[in-house]
Amino acid sequence: MANGGGVQNGAGAGNSSPAAIAAASPKQGRAKTLDQVPAPKLVMFQKDQIQVGYNKMTGAGAGMYNMGNTCYLNSTLQALLHIPAFVNYLSSGCHEKECSISGFSSCTICIMYSTLRQTHQSNVIKPSKIYEKLKFICKHLMHGRQEDAHEFLRYLIESMQRCYFISKKVPKTLDSYSKETTPFNQIFGGYLRQELHCLKCRHVSITFQHFMDLMLDIKNADNIDAALIGYFKRETLSQEDMYKCEKCKQKVPAHKIYRIERPPMVLCIQLKRFNIMGGKNGRPVTLARNLDITRFIRWANDSGLSFTYNLTSLITHVGPSPNCGHYTAIGQAPNGTYYRFDDSSVNPTSVQNVLNTSAYVIFYEMTRASRDRYLAAMASSSNQTANSVYK
């Protein structure tokens, strides 16, 4: 799924100034263009406004009371509230100052900011404002019923997107590429490039697909790197899946290749733990504390850029199915220590435990060095033509 769903294949000071960013990229002159994603007509929130790494030192944050089968909600909130880029955006107050959506309590973004502040004012909190808005976040969610944490995550981000559009009075006629420049798209969103190579006439069909997370198959993967390699490996379309070539005008054998065309600031990965029959794959998958995805970005090596990410938070699941069992979260505090959030319980945990837990949804944030070099290369790229900000 694109535009908000998983895409399947088959602690320190603020970020560097623009001058420092430019100085951080000795090879920027080589990058005439970077990605080939069509430019939006308007940019609502600039990518260089996203700051990675915590802007201020705080504690681990409060636990959250279980209000009746709400471990999925608690763990999702804890994972989001331990992603520095997301926390920095909420804490900046730039949305709260201009929000006028029928009062403070009706805006999901404002409620998330309120929840963030509460987590640093008490030992345990009750995220009741989010819980009360379940039907607004998604009409299919029910109070008192266990839900899939990944589905709730997607609905929650979509709800924040809707509130952002309302606060900005964004017209429904605005093009999709412009709608994909909200703060949440600039944090979590990226673009995939799909190439279909006709094996008969050699024609190559190229399409771009927006994504907010990647859904990785783990049937044959023991670690996160192997799962990513499996996702991006070249696929030969079989007789049953043959592709209708744009040039040949007939169904032909073809190779399908996925690459990242525009990397997200925060890479969200969902491991395919569950199948459509409700069963679960409990296979252990070892995570990486530092993840390098350079080889999966089409133009990265040619541009002399590298893309490394830090593990910031994750949602874990124990039990037989997404709607049965127990969810917890792990998040990294500004001091570098990881904590496990099990509803109202908050305890430090070792890196070894973090990397070998029953992960379901994982968040990796781009390192500051990668972000600075990337933004410098983007600034010098002739492909960056949309400079206006929607007001």
Side-chain angles (χ1 to χ4, degrees):
M1 291 181 291
N3 298 317
V7 176
Q8 302 184 59
N9 184 8
N15 293 282
S16 306
S17 66
I21 291 172
S25 183
K27 296 183 180 180
Q28 63 177 333
R30 291 172 52 190
K32 297 295 183 184
T33 60
L34 291 181
D35 67 63
Q36 296 175 358
V37 177
K41 293 179 180 178
L42 296 166
V43 177
M44 291 183 278
F45 197 86
Q46 299 284 359
K47 190 174 286 288
D48 61 10
Q49 292 178 264
I50 303 302
Q51 298 184 347
V52 298
Y54 287 106
N55 280 346
K56 60 181 180 180
M57 296 296 291
T58 59
M64 296 182 182
Y65 288 115
N66 191 313
M67 296 175 285
N69 290 325
T70 59
C71 61
Y72 75 93
L73 182 148
N74 292 344
S75 60
T76 300
L77 294 180
Q78 294 287 15
L80 282 174
L81 297 180
H82 286 84
I83 299 170
F86 183 69
V87 170
N88 294 338
Y89 167 70
L90 292 180
S91 302
S92 70
C94 58
H95 172 79
E96 186 183 9
K97 294 172 185 174
E98 60 187 20
C99 183
S100 59
I101 307 178
S102 303
F104 181 84
S105 63
S106 296
C107 173
T108 309
I109 305 171
C110 292
I111 291 176
M112 285 296 292
Y113 179 42
S114 174
T115 304
L116 171 64
R117 287 186 299 182
Q118 287 180 338
T119 62
H120 296 295
Q121 295 170 351
S122 307
N123 291 327
V124 187
I125 69 166
K126 185 179 290 186
S128 53
K129 288 183 178 179
I130 289 289
Y131 187 59
E132 290 166 1
K133 282 179 69 71
L134 277 184
K135 288 294 182 181
F136 176 81
I137 292 170
C138 177
K139 63 182 179 181
H140 302 300
L141 299 176
M142 292 184 62
H143 292 93
R145 184 179 71 184
Q146 178 78 293
E147 305 286 355
D148 183 332
H150 176 259
E151 288 185 5
F152 176 67
L153 169 69
R154 295 271 62 85
Y155 291 138
L156 181 60
I157 292 177
E158 286 172 6
S159 177
M160 288 188 282
Q161 301 256 51
R162 291 196 304 271
C163 289
Y164 189 83
F165 290 149
I166 295 170
S167 70
K168 287 286 189 179
K169 298 180 173 61
V170 176
K172 293 182 179 179
T173 56
L174 191 64
D175 65 286
S176 61
Y177 288 106
S178 295
K179 289 181 179 178
E180 289 160 359
T181 62
T182 68
F184 313 102
N185 275 290
Q186 299 289 33
I187 293 172
F188 300 102
Y191 286 88
L192 288 175
R193 176 193 182 100
Q194 177 187 269
E195 296 182 1
L196 285 167
H197 294 247
C198 174
L199 299 182
K200 184 176 180 181
C201 72
R202 304 302 174 186
H203 174 73
V204 180
S205 171
I206 298 172
T207 56
F208 299 104
Q209 187 176 18
H210 179 261
F211 71 92
M212 296 291 275
D213 55 29
L214 298 180
M215 187 184 294
L216 304 187
D217 196 333
I218 57 171
K219 288 196 295 286
N220 300 306
D222 294 323
N223 56 67
I224 197 74
D225 288 300
L228 281 166
I229 290 170
Y231 184 94
F232 288 104
K233 72 179 180 181
R234 186 178 71 177
E235 179 184 352
T236 301
L237 299 184
S238 65
Q239 196 88 16
E240 301 170 350
D241 306 322
M242 282 207 300
Y243 152 69
K244 186 174 182 179
C245 178
E246 298 171 343
K247 190 175 180 181
C248 296
K249 304 298 182 184
Q250 58 182 300
K251 288 191 174 183
V252 295
H255 287 152
K256 182 164 67 173
I257 301 172
Y258 277 108
R259 285 292 178 268
I260 294 174
E261 187 70 12
R262 182 177 296 171
M265 288 292 179
V266 174
L267 175 63
C268 176
I269 293 173
Q270 179 199 7
L271 301 183
K272 290 181 69 174
R273 292 283 184 196
F274 307 107
N275 59 46
I276 57 174
M277 302 302 292
K280 180 179 177 180
N281 182 348
R283 184 187 183 97
V285 178
T286 303
L287 305 183
R289 188 174 186 180
N290 307 110
L291 189 66
D292 188 333
I293 66 168
T294 306
R295 59 183 158 169
F296 306 121
I297 300 172
R298 181 186 61 82
W299 43 263
N301 285 326
D302 291 341
S303 301
L305 298 173
S306 61
F307 289 84
T308 56
Y309 289 69
N310 294 328
L311 177 62
T312 61
S313 62
L314 57 132
I315 299 170
T316 70
H317 179 269
V318 176
S321 71
N323 302 105
C324 179
H326 186 58
Y327 290 99
T328 63
I330 294 175
Q332 188 177 37
N335 65 2
T337 301
Y338 288 99
Y339 289 83
R340 182 178 291 276
F341 298 86
D342 186 349
D343 289 330
S344 59
S345 175
V346 180
N347 292 293
T349 187
S350 68
V351 173
Q352 188 68 14
N353 285 338
V354 173
L355 303 184
N356 294 279
T357 192
S358 51
Y360 177 38
V361 181
I362 312 145
F363 295 94
Y364 283 95
E365 183 178 83
M366 192 182 292
T367 63
R368 190 166 294 165
S370 291
R371 174 230 183 234
D372 290 354
R373 293 190 178 97
Y374 176 36
L375 292 181
M378 285 181 65
S380 67
S381 171
S382 60
N383 197 42
Q384 296 301 310
T385 58
N387 297 313
S388 59
V389 178
Y390 188 86
K391 294 182 180 179

